[in-house]
Amino acid sequence: MADISYRIELAQPHTHYFDITLTVPAPAAVQELSLPSWIPGSYLLREFARHLSGMKASQGSRDVAVEQLDKSRWQVRCSGRQALVVRYRVYAFDSSVRTAFLDAQRGFFNGTSLCLRVHGREQASHGIEFGVLPAGWQIASAMPNPAPGSYLAADYDELLDHPFELGQFWQGSFEAGGATHAVVVSGAWPGFDGERLLRDAQKICAAQIEFWHGPAAKRVEALPFGRYVFLLNCVDEGYGGLEHRASTALIAPRRNLPRLGQAETSDGYVQLLGLISHEYFHTWNVKRMKPAEFMRLDYAQENYTELLWFFEGFTSYYDDLMLVRSGLIDETRYLKLLAATVSGVLATPGRMVQSLAQASFDAWTKYYRPDENTPNATISYYGKGALLALALDLSLRSGSGGAGPVSSLDALMRGLWQQSQGGGIDESQIMALLADLGGPELSREAAHWVHGTGDLPLPFLLERFGVQWSSDKPTLAQRLGLRVSESAVAGVQIKQVLADSLAQQAGLSPGDELLACNGWRLRRLEDALLSLAPQQLKLRLLIARDQRVLELSLDLPALSAASKVAGAAVLLSPADKAAVRVTALRRAWLAA
């Protein structure tokens, strides 16, 4: 039986309220309570307490006053050691993986949204018990389940690290590495091919378990979990995931699910498999091995680190790489996915402004709060972090780091895992092991890549592996330095203007509506090229800004075969005539 217990009621799910009863045996004379302000893995203060209301407390038959101390803390002055009972409600209508949701069809929550922290009792066991659920509803979670409807966590940290899915959902399971893996899918269409999803997820999990722990015949350490749960919520539009110690919460478009009778692998399904791969890799890389600063989390305020380029960026490198290594996609498709990451980073002027270390530290104020100037001032530690991992992997594999032997990023990751024993690491440990594997020069260069703002030498490195680098024909938006939205009703709306671009020089601004070009009405930006007479390169743009109609013009440089346009998509493909050694290097990298 748990020391601290929460009873969760869903009496009227259509109102979107969870009703919670917290019971604290033998409370302190002045018992402090609080709700986390953020959830680990999502680096933004979300102020979950804003959805909490109606808090009341009692001891036996006597009501006890509750005093609010700040935005997320309360205190109760107790009389004697009789159990303190606190009742409150939480509004839940956010379908993301980070918070809580409840309606007549489905429920979901993270403990950070529902479960008050009992100060001074964090190390005690914490239990969750559910009241009567709607007819036909089930419960899914990786939290230990000693009795039907009852769940038990060893302490408050563990309580927060097990999300719950409630409702009528599809579920299946498979074995990988000696552990049971459950897959729960909510909101799927009737034609969803669950067996295929299980088979493909099993391949990903088996490949990653072998990556971290070696083949089963040589495995000397136990997996960090005995049971793992994928909680997938399928929606019309939405994408993302959040890692936990023995589970992950995922959200994806239901059209991305595999369908019965369809053998092809759609781009949407590859995206879903990449999401599964990414969050599962986090089981080791951030949930166990983590920034030293995260060894003891403060749920009330920001927890800073400069290492998200490693824990998120390197995970982003391995997510799609594990798909090709497990045989779910071929190398051509993998290089297409990799090229999309390269293109996204090179199309972001902020990569020349913000380093990876700075991007990691600023996640709390910049990454999760994007605006119209974000691409000019910041870089994604996911995207560029993945390319840093690629650069290091190719350098290690080709022996370009100096005196060190030919190695791999795989060896670096496994070495850090062994050194940390699933605990905290810092940048000095990463760089020291990198020097051992690839030489001091590579370690120094890596530090420069992390703390500098220059581009990575990817064309040169990829050429060593027989990967050809080329550029696609740029769109007009790329030539102008614009990011726009288009619709037949609203026309062309400017969302972002990239720094030092033609559009910025011409005076275009975010929020402008492009009405016409050279006297022709615009519904699509690309149609502006159709308004040009032969040899004409001047664009006379009619725009609407804050109810005013303005005319701006710019000269579009001629586009030749040798032109290089910032933001133009990069294409990667296996070279037609790669040397035998180069081909072997590429196969070793992708098959590892």
Side-chain angles (χ1 to χ4, degrees):
M1 183 176 178
D3 186 12
I4 308 297
S5 64
Y6 306 81
R7 183 174 176 83
I8 298 177
E9 304 279 358
L10 294 68
Q12 296 179 303
H14 63 281
T15 66
H16 318 302
Y17 276 100
F18 286 102
D19 292 297
I20 298 112
T21 301
L22 164 63
T23 302
V24 184
V30 179
Q31 183 61 67
E32 185 174 334
L33 307 168
S34 67
L35 199 65
S37 292
W38 68 288
I39 183 168
S42 183
Y43 306 104
L44 177 68
L45 293 184
R46 299 185 183 276
E47 314 297 3
F48 299 123
R50 65 196 174 98
H51 295 302
L52 188 152
S53 61
M55 185 183 295
K56 297 179 180 180
S58 63
Q59 285 184 287
S61 59
R62 184 177 67 87
D63 291 340
V64 184
V66 177
E67 178 186 359
Q68 186 160 3
L69 302 176
D70 60 27
K71 61 185 178 182
S72 60
R73 292 189 304 132
W74 298 260
Q75 71 178 15
V76 182
R77 296 186 181 277
C78 301
S79 177
R81 305 290 283 173
Q82 190 174 20
L84 172 66
V85 178
V86 182
R87 295 179 175 85
Y88 55 97
R89 312 187 82 193
V90 172
Y91 181 73
F93 202 55
D94 182 342
S95 61
S96 77
V97 297
R98 300 177 291 265
T99 53
F101 178 85
L102 183 63
D103 68 6
Q105 284 73 48
R106 172 181 177 263
F108 171 83
F109 68 87
N110 290 285
T112 44
S113 291
L114 264 61
C115 298
L116 286 168
R117 170 188 170 193
V118 182
H119 288 241
R121 305 285 286 278
E122 293 88 350
Q123 302 308 311
S125 61
H126 288 60
I128 288 179
E129 180 183 354
F130 289 90
V132 177
L133 297 180
W137 278 34
Q138 307 167 78
I139 304 172
S141 177
M143 188 179 291
N145 179 208
S150 180
Y151 295 81
L152 184 64
D155 52 34
Y156 187 68
D157 283 341
E158 184 182 353
L159 180 81
L160 300 186
D161 216 7
H162 291 296
F164 281 79
E165 179 74 26
L166 312 170
Q168 297 182 14
F169 44 72
W170 179 93
Q171 58 183 322
S173 64
F174 58 85
E175 296 291 321
T180 298
H181 293 66
V183 178
V184 171
V185 183
S186 176
W189 276 323
F192 153 59
D193 190 346
E195 294 305 314
R196 181 179 180 186
L197 181 62
L198 291 177
R199 289 195 304 271
D200 293 345
Q202 183 181 38
K203 293 176 182 178
I204 294 169
C205 294
Q208 293 196 17
I209 290 170
E210 184 166 332
F211 175 91
W212 289 105
H213 301 285
K218 299 180 179 179
R219 198 167 298 152
V220 296
E221 60 182 351
L223 299 188
F225 54 83
R227 178 174 175 267
Y228 191 93
V229 181
F230 294 95
L231 303 174
L232 172 58
N233 178 32
C234 298
V235 294
D236 182 29
E237 294 291 343
Y239 177 81
L242 190 62
E243 66 275 4
H244 297 276
R245 65 180 63 191
S247 62
T248 180
L250 310 168
I251 185 169
R254 57 178 58 90
R255 63 181 174 273
N256 288 6
L257 290 169
R259 294 186 60 78
L260 290 168
Q262 294 183 353
E264 68 271 17
T265 302
S266 68
D267 289 343
Y269 186 44
V270 171
Q271 184 189 50
L272 173 58
L273 293 175
L275 178 63
I276 289 170
S277 179
H278 183 99
E279 301 305 334
Y280 193 68
F281 199 84
H282 271 318
T283 308
W284 292 267
N285 195 39
V286 90
K287 293 309 299 182
R288 269 84 183 178
M289 185 169 68
K290 63 186 64 177
E293 301 93 334
F294 286 6
M295 287 302 291
R296 189 62 194 168
L297 296 175
D298 184 342
Y299 297 112
Q301 61 185 358
E302 296 91 341
N303 292 233
Y304 293 100
T305 179
E306 290 190 346
L307 287 179
L308 295 183
W309 57 266
F310 179 87
F311 289 99
E312 290 292 355
F314 282 33
T315 298
S316 295
Y317 170 63
Y318 276 107
D319 55 19
D320 288 337
L321 185 58
M322 285 295 174
L323 301 187
V324 69
R325 288 185 179 180
S326 57
L328 293 171
I329 60 174
D330 60 21
E331 71 172 34
T332 299
R333 196 159 197 173
Y334 172 70
L335 292 177
K336 181 180 177 182
L337 294 170
L338 186 59
T341 302
V342 173
S343 300
V345 170
L346 293 182
T348 306
R351 75 187 193 282
M352 296 296 183
V353 176
Q354 187 184 50
S355 71
L356 280 170
Q358 291 169 332
S360 300
F361 194 86
D362 288 340
W364 296 92
T365 55
K366 294 185 177 181
Y367 182 80
Y368 283 94
R369 291 176 175 169
D371 59 29
E372 67 282 349
N373 194 49
T374 290
N376 295 325
T378 69
I379 189 62
S380 167
Y381 49 77
Y382 285 89
K384 191 174 180 182
L387 298 187
L388 171 63
L390 170 66
L392 291 176
D393 200 6
L394 299 185
S395 296
L396 287 165
R397 289 178 181 277
S398 60
S400 62
V406 174
S407 186
S408 70
L409 195 68
D410 300 0
L412 177 74
M413 300 301 290
R414 286 192 287 263
L416 289 170
W417 173 259
Q418 295 298 328
Q419 284 185 13
S420 69
Q421 297 186 349
I425 62 171
D426 58 27
E427 184 178 321
S428 65
Q429 290 172 266
I430 298 171
M431 296 304 173
L433 183 55
L434 186 58
D436 290 342
L437 296 174
E441 180 58 33
L442 180 59
S443 180
R444 286 191 290 270
E445 192 166 25
H448 177 71
W449 291 340
V450 168
H451 295 279
T453 56
D455 284 333
L456 301 165
L458 293 178
F460 165 73
L461 291 170
L462 286 165
E463 184 181 0
R464 291 182 167 192
F465 287 74
V467 176
Q468 183 173 309
W469 177 296
S470 59
S471 296
D472 201 0
K473 180 181 178 181
T475 64
L476 181 57
Q478 291 166 341
R479 294 170 70 182
L480 295 176
L482 288 176
R483 295 181 182 178
V484 302
S485 65
E486 301 172 331
S487 76
V489 176
V492 182
Q493 302 281 340
I494 296 178
K495 297 301 181 183
Q496 294 169 327
V497 178
L498 301 185
D500 302 321
S501 64
L502 288 173
Q504 188 182 67
Q505 294 166 18
L508 291 168
S509 295
D512 288 350
E513 178 186 356
L514 296 180
L515 302 175
C517 181
N518 296 335
W520 291 86
R521 183 75 169 96
L522 284 182
R523 296 294 187 189
R524 293 164 297 276
L525 179 60
E526 205 71 21
D527 288 350
L529 294 174
L530 302 179
S531 72
L532 295 173
Q535 309 305 315
Q536 181 186 359
L537 292 172
K538 182 174 286 295
L539 300 180
R540 291 181 293 105
L541 300 171
L542 197 65
I543 68 167
R545 178 186 297 166
D546 191 26
Q547 294 189 308
R548 297 182 180 183
V549 176
L550 308 172
E551 185 171 344
L552 301 173
S553 63
L554 59 87
D555 292 319
L556 193 64
L559 189 62
S560 67
S563 298
K564 290 187 177 181
V565 177
V570 170
L571 304 176
L572 302 177
S573 57
D576 290 337
K577 296 181 179 179
V580 173
R581 179 181 179 276
V582 167
T583 303
L585 275 174
R586 187 172 71 243
R587 287 175 180 169
W589 161 41
L590 298 180

